[in-house]
């Protein structure tokens, strides 16, 4: 892509309405644009990053056998009346009437709808277990939307739902999801810590929030610092390993405000190991057994002949919130560096455009064509602007690799830089190898 042709509405000044750095950066470099309070359009640069995150989430969910589907954003109020949540959910739910006067709503979550789908086709224990998920927009009419896409009204969520015959089997599904989340966050370059949590309007008695540490997070975190030493690469999908994973994590104290107890904290964690900090909730998983299957009459034939309500869990990831969370953790001292797995481009060519010397641009185009041939997603900065302004701009856009084509480049060797390290002179072949590795 040529920068001169890219839709990238850069703002000159820091947007004053934004309070945290992810919100500031996303507006500044044109990743998003607010359309009304807590509702945003995703512009090409922001959309590209979000789609890459979505793709990692999808791959990791598929890897544990979850099946992707797509449910609508608009739901009928009837199923919510059946579960009893229509009234309980309160003002966060956006309620709509269609032209026939039927009560509808914009889905804040999908427990009811998925249970209704499931009960209409699955009748026997023989078809269990099942895990279904979709990645879809949600709407919650938050009292105080804030921090850009971190706490907004319309947001993009991956929500998965598990169905099992009994508690024991359901715990295995829960553990698989737990494992899938750890892998996902590792691929996103994030250290997310699972913390025992309250269940709120979703319900149930077993729940974990996945939190990444960030000063601007909305959750207070109380943890034993040794939890950060757990090596998540050790685990696999065998039952034994998954149980070990759960017991390793639960052996360390790590909770948010709702579960915090000062005495307990001091008793269980040595003073030197205590961490009190802030974090961002990027995922939340729940086990609630028959909370929805019972009122919605979602029954399956048990091995022993009787009919039992299916045991369910639900598992959310804030896909759009993750874009902000990644900025909060990777944007420091006015320099952004996207993890390679989700960077909007693999590499940027920063070309010294000079009216009297067309050589740089010609060389840049040659390099650009070669990288494209190699299926490398490359942005060429072909804008007529001085180099120091260009460097400043790319510090914000955050593409992790830069090829600088100007006075220092030699005939077949170019200045190549990984953000945060010094530039080195490399041949195009060496550059391609570095990017591909
Ligand atoms: N049904 C369950 C799990 S599928 C559920 O809705 N869980 S949740 O309420 O915890 O939301 C899941 C994730 O969505 C959260 O962990 C968070 O990352 C994201 N999220 C929730 N509310 C918002 C919001 N207002 N703005 C942005 N992201 C949000």
């Amino acid at each position: 892509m040529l920068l001169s042709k890219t839709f990238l509405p850069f703002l000159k000044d820091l947007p004053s309405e934004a309070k945290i750095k992810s919100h500031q950066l996303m507006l500044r470099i044109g990743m998003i644009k607010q359309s009304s309070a807590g509702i945003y359009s995703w512009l090409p640069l922001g959309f590209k990053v979000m789609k890459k995150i979505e793709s990692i989430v999808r791959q990791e969910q598929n890897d544990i056998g979850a099946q992707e589907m797509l449910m609508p954003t608009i739901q009928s109020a009837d199923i919510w009346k059946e579960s009893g949540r229509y009234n309980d959910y309160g003002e966060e739910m956006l309620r709509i009437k269609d032209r026939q006067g039927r009560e509808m709503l914009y889905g804040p979550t999908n427990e009811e709808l998925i249970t209704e789908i499931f009960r209409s086709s699955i009748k026997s224990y023989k078809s269990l277990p099942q895990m279904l998920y979709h990645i879809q927009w949600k709407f919650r009419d938050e009292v105080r939307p804030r921090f850009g896409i971190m706490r907004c009204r319309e947001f993009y969520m991956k929500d998965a739902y598990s169905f099992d015959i009994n508690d024991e089997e359901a715990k295995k599904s829960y553990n698989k999801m737990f494992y899938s989340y750890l892998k996902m966050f590792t691929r996103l370059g994030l250290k997310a810590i699972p913390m025992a949590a309250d269940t709120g309007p979703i319900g149930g008695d077993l729940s974990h929030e996945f939190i990444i540490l960030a000063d601007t997070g909305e959750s207070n975190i109380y943890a034993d610092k040794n939890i950060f030493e757990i090596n998540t690469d050790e685990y696999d999908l065998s039952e034994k390993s998954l149980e070990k994973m759960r017991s390793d994590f639960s052996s360390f104290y790590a909770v948010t405000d709702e579960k915090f107890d000062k005495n307990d904290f001091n008793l269980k964690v040595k003073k030197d190991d205590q961490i009190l900090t802030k974090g961002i909730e990027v995922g939340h998983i729940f086990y609630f057994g028959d909370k929805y299957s019972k009122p919605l009459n979602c029954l399956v034939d048990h091995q022993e002949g009787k009919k039992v309500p299916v045991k369910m869990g639900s598992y959310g990831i804030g896909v759009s919130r993750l874009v902000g969370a990644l900025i909060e953790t990777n944007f420091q001292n006015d320099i952004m560096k996207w993890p390679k797995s989700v960077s909007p481009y693999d590499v940027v060519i920063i070309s010294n455009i000079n009216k009297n010397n067309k050589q740089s641009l010609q060389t840049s185009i040659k390099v650009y064509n070669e990288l494209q041939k190699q299926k490398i997603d490359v942005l060429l900065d072909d804008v007529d602007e001085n180099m120091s302004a260009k460097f400043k701009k790319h510090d914000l856009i955050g593409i992790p690799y830069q090829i600088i084509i100007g006075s220092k480049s030699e005939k077949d060797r170019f200045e190549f830089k990984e953000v945060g390290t010094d530039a080195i002179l490399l041949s195009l072949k060496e550059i391609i190898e570095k990017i591909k590795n």
Side-chain angles (χ1 to χ4, degrees), residues 51 63 80 387 419:
K51 283 282 152 182
D63 267 12
W80 286 72
M387 284 301 263
V419 172

Side-chain angles (χ1 to χ4, degrees), residues 131-145:
M131 277 187 197
L132 298 167
Y133 75 98
H134 74 161
I135 306 174
Q136 177 63 291
W137 294 96
K138 305 286 183 297
F139 193 95
R140 293 183 188 170
D141 204 351
E142 298 270 348
V143 200
R144 222 159 54 85

Side-chain angles (χ1 to χ4, degrees), residues 67-113:
Q67 303 155 72
E68 188 170 12
M69 60 183 293
L70 186 60
M71 288 175 267
T73 52
I74 306 291
Q75 305 179 19
S76 159
D78 294 348
I79 43 174
W80 286 72
K81 287 181 182 164
E82 270 188 68
S83 75
R85 267 209 300 185
Y86 193 59
N87 290 330
D88 295 351
Y89 219 93
E91 294 200 286
E92 259 192 30
M93 186 189 275
L94 181 66
R95 295 153 208 258
I96 317 164
K97 269 204 180 126
D98 70 8
R99 69 203 309 173
Q100 266 89 28
R102 281 186 292 246
E103 289 175 295
M104 315 290 285
L105 55 99
Y106 193 129
T109 176
N110 281 58
E111 281 79 7
E112 282 77 0
L113 187 51

Side-chain angles (χ1 to χ4, degrees), residues 20-78:
I20 61 171
K21 58 186 178 181
S22 57
H23 190 195
Q24 290 166 351
L25 186 73
M26 291 182 84
L27 293 173
R28 180 95 190 271
I29 66 176
M31 294 180 78
I32 51 169
K33 182 169 184 328
Q34 184 172 317
S35 74
S36 51
I39 303 180
Y40 291 85
S41 298
W42 287 76
L43 307 184
L45 191 73
F47 189 62
K48 225 168 168 220
V49 173
M50 188 165 72
K51 283 282 152 182
K52 289 201 173 179
I53 296 172
E54 177 184 346
S55 156
I56 290 178
V57 170
R58 175 176 291 117
Q59 284 164 15
E60 292 303 330
Q61 288 288 274
N62 293 347
D63 267 12
I64 59 160
Q67 303 155 72
E68 188 170 12
M69 60 183 293
L70 186 60
M71 288 175 267
T73 52
I74 306 291
Q75 305 179 19
S76 159
D78 294 348

Side-chain angles (χ1 to χ4, degrees), residues 108-109 111 140 142 149-152 155 157-161 202 281-284 286 314-318 320-321:
T109 176
E111 281 79 7
R140 293 183 188 170
E142 298 270 348
I149 48 83
M150 290 291 221
R151 181 161 298 280
C152 49
F155 58 98
M157 192 207 281
K158 183 285 300 178
D159 39 325
Y161 302 87
I202 308 293
E281 182 204 311
V282 285
H284 200 161
F286 303 82
S314 77
Y315 313 87
I317 296 261
S320 48
R321 179 180 283 184

Side-chain angles (χ1 to χ4, degrees), residues 98-275:
D98 70 8
R99 69 203 309 173
Q100 266 89 28
R102 281 186 292 246
E103 289 175 295
M104 315 290 285
L105 55 99
Y106 193 129
T109 176
N110 281 58
E111 281 79 7
E112 282 77 0
L113 187 51
I114 194 79
T115 309
E116 197 266 330
I117 292 169
F118 200 84
R119 76 177 174 194
S120 65
S121 48
I122 301 291
K123 304 286 179 207
S124 161
Y125 71 93
K126 288 182 193 149
S127 308
L128 298 180
Q130 293 274 346
M131 277 187 197
L132 298 167
Y133 75 98
H134 74 161
I135 306 174
Q136 177 63 291
W137 294 96
K138 305 286 183 297
F139 193 95
R140 293 183 188 170
D141 204 351
E142 298 270 348
V143 200
R144 222 159 54 85
R146 56 194 177 275
F147 307 142
I149 48 83
M150 290 291 221
R151 181 161 298 280
C152 49
R153 298 199 296 165
E154 191 183 42
F155 58 98
Y156 203 41
M157 192 207 281
K158 183 285 300 178
D159 39 325
Y161 302 87
S162 64
F163 302 85
D164 285 277
I165 192 68
N166 56 35
D167 283 331
E168 202 189 325
E169 291 298 311
K171 296 275 156 68
K172 290 182 196 163
S173 298
Y174 189 90
N175 290 351
K176 277 189 189 169
M177 277 289 171
F178 197 105
Y179 169 84
S180 174
Y181 277 36
L182 293 176
K183 283 194 67 193
M184 239 176 246
F185 294 127
T186 304
R187 282 184 64 187
L188 293 170
L190 290 171
K191 190 115 186 130
I193 302 300
M195 308 208 177
D198 270 352
T199 53
I202 308 293
D205 50 18
L206 169 64
S207 167
H208 285 90
E209 287 174 351
F210 287 74
I211 306 257
I212 58 159
L213 301 188
D215 299 339
T216 46
E218 290 189 278
S219 315
N220 289 314
I221 307 300
Y222 310 87
D224 181 335
K225 71 174 184 200
N226 294 304
I227 199 165
F228 295 96
E229 302 305 317
I230 297 177
N231 176 9
T232 54
D233 293 338
E234 269 175 18
Y235 307 117
D236 58 50
L237 273 173
S238 69
E239 222 176 293
K240 212 165 135 209
S241 178
L242 293 178
E243 268 164 29
K244 181 168 184 315
M245 166 196 73
R246 284 292 309 285
S247 94
D248 288 351
F249 275 100
S250 55
S251 68
F252 295 109
Y253 193 93
V255 299
T256 56
D257 266 334
E258 305 127 356
K259 294 241 170 194
F260 178 61
D261 178 287
K262 200 164 176 212
N263 291 334
D264 211 24
F265 189 42
N266 287 330
L267 205 73
K268 289 186 178 152
V269 189
K270 280 197 292 207
K271 259 260 149 342
D272 287 350
D273 291 343
Q274 292 182 356
I275 303 184

